[in-house]
Amino acid sequence: MKQEHHHITPAMVLLLAVASGLIAANLYYAQPLVGPISAATGLDPGAAGLIVTLTQIGYCLGLAFIVPLGDLLENRRLAVTLLGATALALLGAALAGNAAAFLAAAFCIGLCSVAAQVLVPFAAHLSATERRGQTVGTVMSGLLMGIMLARPASSLVADAFGWHAIFFISTAAIATLALVLHFRLPKRVPEGDYHYGALLASMWTLLRTTPVLRRRAAYQACMFGAFSLFWTTAPLVLASPAFGLSQSGIAVFALLGVAGAIVSPLAGKRADQGKSRSNTLWALLAGAAAFGAPLLVHGGREFALVLLVLCGVVLDMGVTACLVTGQRAIFALGAETRSRLNGLYISIFFAGGALGSSLGGWTWADYGWHGVLLAGLLFPLLALLLFMTERRA
């Protein structure tokens, strides 16, 4: 059942972009609420980090064991089933009365939120080859905006209505989304004739035999490491005496950073035009500039704050452009392996993100903001060194 060259309508692209953003946001709602959630559920302060860690572990396991099913099972049913499970996990988090119940819900939220990574290859399948990069870019801009908006949204909702509210709201949103996608998405039955075990076994073979995947995943792991390091530590420096911002001020700062996601469709369009190499170079240079500028340019509090906002936007632009260019490259390798390639790509660069988050907290505690900027600069510089070894197509 070959469905490689559907004409995807702008309305469908918008729906998939909004869907991806709503799903991805679930991974980040709990991050700014770790304090009140721990207090309410009786979680030991030393173990509070588990809330975020278990969500991420669930997501990584979902990427490895659930996303590849997009090459085996009918895609619409897979996405809708995962959304139903996500809604139940969110409801569990909202109603959790003790630490064990909340942590179990957090793990399940991460595991089932890989529905977003079922939808991204779906968008590629529905798109004509010559517009695939632009389509994937638009869907990914939705996903990235979901990631960036989640933290300020949950902070503001929790301030107004308590921490449970964001999970109740998201339960309703995801359940509604499941219904909409059930009625709006076309069916897509993959052509592959695999058993599940063989499908998983093929992942290692794909990684070993696909140099484009390894290279693009390495670039993005470096960029996502830089991204995670910046957005883990920026709220800490903004709340410190150097800036003295309130939680609402930090939320506004995070909202301004979302502007970086606007380059996503543009990066996809340039990749469609064969400009992937220059896309990548500019993206990596943007990442380096975001950490280099505050090290080189100094001024008063207002100047430093404006510079930091600009650096956040430039970094997000670089991360977004690199991500979309990479997905355009791996989605061009063939429809029958697209879900597995996407699962590998995302899981590798999420590992980079996990490294960046943990390194950020440790560097901030021991070496302050200057140390954070130096550590962050290393990620894009490493990617640039790797880029210099890339042979021109």
Side-chain angles (χ1 to χ4, degrees), residues 312-334:
V313 172
V314 168
L315 175 64
D316 289 357
M317 284 180 168
V319 172
T320 303
C322 188
L323 172 62
V324 171
T325 306
Q327 280 188 307
R328 174 70 176 80
I330 64 168
F331 287 167
L333 298 174

Side-chain angles (χ1 to χ4, degrees), residues 248-273:
S248 296
I250 293 168
V252 171
F253 178 89
L255 288 173
L256 293 171
V258 173
I262 61 171
V263 303
S264 194
L266 176 64
K269 189 173 184 179
R270 282 177 51 83
D272 286 336
Q273 294 166 348

Side-chain angles (χ1 to χ4, degrees), residues 12 36-38 66 79 123 133 140 198-199 211 220 228 230 264 295 335 369:
M12 179 62 78
I37 291 170
S38 299
I66 296 174
M140 288 308 294
L199 191 79
Q220 194 57 26
S228 299
F230 182 90
S264 194
L295 285 168
W369 184 237

Side-chain angles (χ1 to χ4, degrees), residues 307-386:
L307 180 64
L308 201 56
V309 169
L310 289 173
C311 289
V313 172
V314 168
L315 175 64
D316 289 357
M317 284 180 168
V319 172
T320 303
C322 188
L323 172 62
V324 171
T325 306
Q327 280 188 307
R328 174 70 176 80
I330 64 168
F331 287 167
L333 298 174
E336 65 285 348
T337 58
R338 203 167 276 154
S339 290
R340 279 167 288 165
L341 290 170
N342 190 53
L344 285 164
Y345 178 62
I346 306 277
S347 53
I348 291 168
F349 83 65
F350 254 81
L355 175 65
S357 297
S358 52
L359 187 65
W362 172 75
T363 312
W364 166 257
D366 286 7
Y367 301 101
W369 184 237
H370 192 80
V372 167
L373 292 170
L374 285 170
L377 185 58
L378 289 174
F379 283 96
L381 289 181
L382 181 63
L384 279 163
L385 280 173
L386 184 62

